[in-house]
Amino acid sequence: MSTLALKIVAICSMLLDHTLKILPMQHMLAAWCGVPMETSYWLLDIFEPLGRLAMPIFAFCVAEGCRHTRSPKRYLLRLGVFALVSEIPFRLAFTAPSLEQDVYALHVFRFWPPVLTSVIATLFLGAVACLAYKKLTEKGHRLLGLLPLLPCLLLAEFMHADYGGWGVLLVFLPFALEKKKYYLPALGVALTLLYLVDNAWVGHGLAWLMPDSGGASYFANWLVALCALVLLGFYNGKRGGKGSPAEKWLFYVFYPGHLLALWGIAQVITPLVRNAPLL
């Protein structure tokens, strides 16, 4: 698979994930399609894990971008500006009036202190760690090259960036390890710790070890995320497409664009279904 093919898969996964999180899907299905709420929850539980394909693929694409860029400074500048531009659509989309009351609905639009920062900030910090590592290792300081990784991990956690320090690692590992036989197992370990330990810790234990705690969802998310590694295993090292500007800027335009679109749709739909009778 080419980089372009991987990005298209990730974009479709991300669009599904954000649609389920931003729009009041359960209420829409109940009010307009007559689907009982219990059934709609079951249906959405099936589709929601498909959104877990996106992050490992986007992280890998950023690592490849760091590896092949001709101008590291311009690459970081473009990604940093992209993170700043995307933050307003991200905050708008996830503070849209929500009927689902999930953890992604921020409810309060504010810049500081951050409730949640977009995944683009995570990708940017991952790129900073990668390019700093590259700069130092080119000068023969391989161990010192790992030092910039720590502040990037901590900053991602401090900013409450989506995926946090784990997301930074998902970018850094394929860059630093370079070969598939090294980075694919490392990514598998990172994703396992992310979904089955970090995300599943509920303050008094691991949710997937407790009865009636919804632990199956953690396993579903983990398994789908591992499927992203299968796709990365078929990566052929080619960019794909014809290298047109439209292809180059596809994700940069799509990310804030689709968030604004979903936010606008949510503003219209949510009042319509808010008082609709539920089955």
Side-chain angles (χ1 to χ4, degrees):
M1 297 183 72
S2 66
T3 303
L4 178 60
L6 287 172
K7 285 182 179 179
I8 291 173
V9 172
I11 282 174
C12 292
S13 171
M14 178 182 67
L15 178 60
L16 173 64
D17 183 55
H18 288 172
T19 299
L20 295 179
K21 286 184 169 68
I22 295 170
L23 301 184
M25 297 301 297
Q26 283 93 347
H27 289 72
M28 290 166 60
L29 290 172
W32 297 343
C33 302
V35 178
M37 289 294 285
E38 294 80 4
T39 304
S40 67
Y41 282 120
W42 178 75
L43 288 173
L44 296 178
D45 281 343
I46 293 175
F47 287 102
E48 186 174 358
L50 295 177
R52 307 284 74 77
L53 283 172
M55 180 55 185
I57 294 176
F58 281 135
F60 176 80
C61 290
V62 169
E64 284 293 286
C66 292
R67 193 187 317 281
H68 297 295
T69 183
R70 296 178 182 178
S71 175
K73 291 182 179 179
R74 289 178 59 186
Y75 185 77
L76 277 183
L77 178 62
R78 184 167 66 244
L79 199 55
V81 171
F82 176 40
L84 290 174
V85 169
S86 298
E87 201 59 32
I88 291 179
F90 175 80
R91 302 289 174 99
L92 284 173
F94 286 105
T95 53
S98 172
L99 297 175
E100 310 311 330
Q101 302 296 322
D102 63 23
V103 295
Y104 290 92
L106 307 183
H107 303 301
V108 178
F109 186 99
R110 70 187 190 198
F111 279 106
W112 199 264
V115 181
L116 184 67
T117 306
S118 85
V119 74
I120 311 303
T122 310
L123 298 177
F124 170 74
L125 291 171
V128 170
C130 290
L131 292 173
Y133 174 81
K134 180 180 180 180
K135 186 76 171 179
L136 290 170
T137 53
E138 286 175 348
K139 296 181 178 180
H141 307 299
R142 197 167 188 86
L143 288 178
L144 288 178
L146 295 174
L147 291 180
L149 176 62
L150 179 59
C152 291
L153 294 173
L154 294 176
L155 187 55
E157 292 293 330
F158 175 74
M159 295 171 58
H160 300 287
D162 206 3
Y163 284 89
W166 291 106
V168 174
L169 274 180
L170 292 180
V171 179
F172 185 77
L173 289 173
F175 182 86
L177 299 178
E178 298 185 21
K179 296 182 179 180
K180 290 181 182 180
K181 64 179 180 180
Y182 298 133
Y183 67 68
L184 286 179
L187 288 175
V189 171
L191 290 170
T192 300
L193 292 174
L194 170 63
Y195 286 107
L196 297 188
V197 179
D198 191 356
N199 284 358
W201 184 262
V202 292
H204 54 277
L206 296 172
W208 53 271
L209 292 176
M210 303 174 188
D212 303 322
S213 62
S217 64
Y218 295 101
F219 277 99
N221 290 337
W222 171 61
L223 290 174
V224 173
L226 291 184
C227 289
L229 303 189
V230 176
L231 296 177
L232 296 182
F234 288 100
Y235 176 60
N236 57 18
K238 297 180 180 179
R239 184 174 180 179
K242 299 180 180 179
S244 65
E247 173 203 328
K248 178 181 179 180
W249 292 93
L250 172 64
F251 180 59
Y252 293 95
V253 174
F254 183 83
Y255 184 83
H258 90 284
L259 288 177
L260 285 174
L262 289 173
W263 171 74
I265 294 170
Q267 300 305 302
V268 175
I269 288 179
T270 303
L272 296 178
V273 300
R274 186 182 299 276
N275 298 318
L278 302 179
L279 299 180

